[in-house]
Every structure is written in structure tokens, then in C-alpha cells.
Amino acid sequence: MSLRNTLRAFPTLLRVGFAEALAYRAELLIWVLSTTMPFIMMALWTAVAREAPVGPYTQEGFVSYFLGTFVVRQLTGAWAAWQINFEVRQGTLAMRLLRPMSPLWGYAAENLGAVPMRIMVAVPVAVFSVLVVGEQAVPREWWGWPLLLVALLGGWLITFLANVCIGTMSLFMESSNHVMDVWLVLFFVLSGYMFPVDVLPGWMRTVVDWLPFRYQIGLPVEVMTGDRTWQETLLLVGRQWIWVLLLGMLAVTLWRRGLRRFAAYGG
């Protein structure tokens, strides 16, 4: 199927993905409850900042940051790596390959189809954040809003494409779930999910700036809470989209080469 026809069919795939999210809403709720780590870290870091600010963060700053982290986590989550692993091992990937479009579009639609339900969880938290900390919870300049949307889309794409890359490795090995475990550990430590990148020593921030993890969570949260000038924000968003491009090329290359090794047997 041509790219034009695939894009025309994509809204239908999104509707199917949304219907699946509704059908499996209990699992989705469990997944949401498993992402409450920012609330725990908020309690910890606000206690640490009770006597004096930690780096640029006061107690209010940490509240704004970690409530934003919870919201961004809901909007940029993806689970394609586990889907691909399961379908490769079960052989059900063969059913997707019979469709007249790349299975990668199907994975993207199923992951995006759950976003409306996750927005229903994220919006009350965002509103609560505005009520508690005021304008610090949202962009204070007009340019912050469009850049926030770009940063959120870039964060989701990095998460999804990394999932595809790691999930596709299951076509080369027995299972890539352990690779995903390693990725998640690095994600928790380096993405800004458990603490803001700004509290790290200078040399570590430099390293983190060149890795993809902070562009999944930390950057969208920083744009949301307005911690950067527009020049700094543009530079970081540019780096984020370089990672989107690199991971996109890697995902397509791994997928095409991996499919040559795929074999499914039915009975």
C-alpha cells in the first residue's frame, strides 16, 4: 500500500486502537497506577527542599515539576516492544504481515489510540497543578504552547521508536525483553522521571544532553513549566528531533532486516 493510502487508512486504525483501549480499560488503569512514581518523588524532593532550594528548584518548583512529569508520562507512553516480542514468539506477527500496510503503522495506531483515555487521567492532574502552584505549572510565554506540543510529540516518537527498535531485536534473538529492562533502568535514571536533570552535576548534564532519555520526559516537562528561554528550548527541541530521525531510520532498518529471519508455523 502506498504512503498516501496508508495515511488515508490511519484514522480508521486510530479508531480501532481507541476501541481496543476501551475494551482493555482495566489493564490501562493498572498501567496508569504503575506510573505514580512522580508523586512519590515529589514528596521526597519537596522534603529535601524544605530548608533551602535544591539547584533552581524550591518546594513549589518540585511540585510543579513532578505533577508535570506525571502528565507527560501519560501522554508519551508506548508499549510496542512487548507487543512485538509477544507476537514474534507466538507467530501472530504473520497475521499482521498479511495486511496491505506495514505492521509498524498498526502498532503506532494502537499505542496512540489509548491517548484519549490517558488524557482523561492527565487533565485533572494538570488542573490540580495549576490550582496549587499557579502559572508555574504551564508555559508563561505564547511560544511555549506550540513548542510544548512539538516536544510532547517528539517525546512520544522517541519512546515508540525505541520500543520498535528493541522489540524488533526479538527477530534476531530469543527475546529482547531483557534489553527493554536495561533501557527502562536508564530511562528512570536519566530521563528526568525521578529527579530533574538540573540537579545533576554539570558534567553529567552534558552527558545526559546527548542521550535520548531526557527528551522523552525531562524536556516536555521543562517546556511545560517554562524553565528555559526560547533559545535554549529551540536548541533542545532540535536535539530531540535529531533523535527522532536517528531512531526512525534505525527502527526501519532493523525491521526490514529482521523480517527476513521471521518464520511462523501453524497447525
Side-chain angles (χ1 to χ4, degrees):
M1 182 178 281
S2 66
L3 179 60
R4 180 182 177 185
N5 289 335
T6 299
L7 292 177
R8 289 176 63 182
F10 197 65
T12 302
L13 291 176
L14 286 176
R15 286 195 291 273
V16 173
F18 179 65
E20 289 183 351
L22 279 177
Y24 295 101
R25 53 189 178 276
E27 290 184 10
L28 186 65
L29 178 61
I30 292 172
W31 184 85
V32 169
L33 292 176
S34 71
T35 59
T36 55
M37 178 62 76
F39 298 144
I40 300 171
M41 301 311 296
M42 180 175 67
L44 173 65
W45 282 100
T46 51
V48 173
R50 186 171 299 145
E51 300 296 331
V54 180
Y57 290 92
T58 60
Q59 281 188 302
E60 282 192 345
F62 278 122
V63 171
S64 173
Y65 182 88
F66 284 111
L67 290 178
T69 299
F70 178 82
V71 172
V72 170
R73 178 75 167 126
Q74 303 310 314
L75 301 181
T76 59
W79 56 89
W82 293 279
Q83 277 183 290
I84 297 172
N85 257 287
F86 178 81
E87 294 183 6
V88 169
R89 296 179 67 179
Q90 297 296 317
T92 53
L93 177 62
M95 298 301 294
R96 288 186 183 268
L97 294 173
L98 293 175
R99 299 174 186 172
M101 67 174 65
S102 170
L104 297 184
W105 288 100
Y107 293 127
E110 289 169 18
N111 281 245
L112 284 173
V115 169
M117 291 192 68
R118 283 185 278 167
I119 287 177
M120 294 172 63
V121 177
V123 167
V125 176
V127 172
F128 177 74
S129 180
V130 172
L131 293 175
V132 172
V133 297
E135 64 177 6
Q136 288 186 44
V138 292
R140 293 183 286 279
E141 304 289 344
W142 70 266
W143 49 263
W145 292 97
L147 284 179
L148 174 60
L149 294 178
V150 173
L152 285 171
L153 177 60
W156 182 83
L157 281 170
I158 289 177
T159 305
F160 174 73
L161 292 171
N163 267 255
V164 170
C165 290
I166 295 172
T168 303
M169 290 180 188
S170 62
L171 293 164
F172 300 90
M173 58 181 71
E174 184 177 350
S175 170
S176 61
N177 281 336
H178 293 309
V179 180
M180 193 63 198
D181 292 341
V182 174
W183 173 275
L184 284 176
V185 170
L186 293 173
F187 165 79
F188 287 137
V189 175
L190 302 175
S191 69
Y193 186 60
M194 300 183 71
F195 46 81
V197 173
D198 286 333
V199 304
L200 293 171
W203 67 271
M204 282 194 70
R205 285 204 303 272
T206 303
V207 173
V208 170
D209 279 349
W210 290 101
L211 297 175
F213 305 103
R214 75 164 298 186
Y215 303 109
Q216 295 178 261
I217 295 288
L219 175 61
V221 174
E222 291 163 17
V223 177
M224 180 183 291
T225 55
D227 290 339
R228 307 284 177 191
T229 65
W230 71 272
Q231 294 96 333
E232 293 172 331
T233 305
L234 277 180
L235 174 63
L236 291 170
V237 170
R239 289 180 181 175
Q240 180 191 48
W241 280 83
I242 289 174
W243 272 110
V244 171
L245 182 63
L246 291 175
L247 287 171
M249 291 190 296
L250 180 61
V252 171
T253 302
L254 283 173
W255 181 257
R256 288 177 176 172
R257 293 192 177 185
L259 284 184
R260 298 173 191 165
R261 304 166 59 92
F262 177 69
Y265 304 93

